[in-house]
Amino acid sequence: MKKLLLPLLAVAVLAGCDKKAEEPAKPVAAASYLDKIKARDKLIVGVFTDKPPFGFVNEAGRYVGFDTDIGRQFAKDLLGDENKVEFVAVEPASRIPFLQSDKVDLILANMTVTPERKEAVDFTNPNLKVAVQALVPNDSVVKSLDDLATRTTIVTTGTTADIWLTKNHPDWKLLKFEKNSESLQALSAGRGDAYAQDNLVLFSWAKQNPGYRVLEEKLGDEAPIAPAVKKGNIELRDWVNAELAKLGEEKFLLKLYDQYVRKELSDDTKPESVIVEGGKWQG
């Protein structure tokens, strides 16, 4: 009898195992991107280091500026501490590749929204508005953009000015540099006749460096500037949009404007012509 029971018991056990194996495995919920940041306990943000007043390194070696302080506020509201942010230095041309390769969570580096860039990244709602203009020495014979057709225009690779001029004036001679600081040094050294860049940068630099003027004409239309996330990262994009809306109620960008930007522009400049409080773009 015992010999008969043992095989029957073995069959029952195997049957039970087969039944358990046939049960579909319960899907494991993928951690959200915000959970990933929280588990890391650090927000990684790409910023400029040579584009005051938006992103630069001060004499103490600290990352500061309009964009940089937004990154600190994001870290404070997401992780409870403004110091739980890691800043990664980017150049104009490296902003999109750094997002695509997951080197950063977010770009806060004065990136103008363009149709071409929207194909590569997801932009949040804007925080600034800008137009592209050109800077020339006061004694330059250049009076208008048309005068640049036969001269050398300096641009920083990957900027809106670079993209716009390459597309709309492919016959113009462009002298390109990787860094904004290199482009400005080239202009001051007389290596080009003008420097085309976001007008906020030009206004700031011209005020700090007497002897230069900004041409009144604009290269293209006024456009929004916005933070950017990796293409498809809807969760982080939506969180940033909600955060910008919340900060807008506190007039947070106006405070940063007063701290960093106001002194760089003429006294009659209206803040609403520069900042987009709450992400509410009126284009």
Side-chain angles (χ1 to χ4, degrees), residues 1-8:
M1 179 65 70
K2 288 183 179 179
K3 290 182 179 180
L4 181 62
L5 286 174
L6 287 172
L8 289 175

Side-chain angles (χ1 to χ4, degrees), residues 161-179:
D162 176 21
I163 295 169
W164 191 90
L165 285 171
T166 300
K167 178 180 179 180
N168 293 281
H169 293 288
D171 54 327
W172 284 21
K173 183 180 179 181
L174 302 181
L175 180 59
K176 302 186 181 187
F177 295 91
E178 292 299 317
K179 296 183 177 182

Side-chain angles (χ1 to χ4, degrees), residues 22 72 114 170 173:
E22 291 173 0
R72 286 196 173 89
T114 68
K173 183 180 179 181

Side-chain angles (χ1 to χ4, degrees), residues 96 135 141-142 178 192 230 241 248 254 277:
I96 291 176
L135 181 74
V141 297
V142 174
E178 292 299 317
K230 187 175 183 178
N241 284 339
L254 179 59
E277 198 73 80

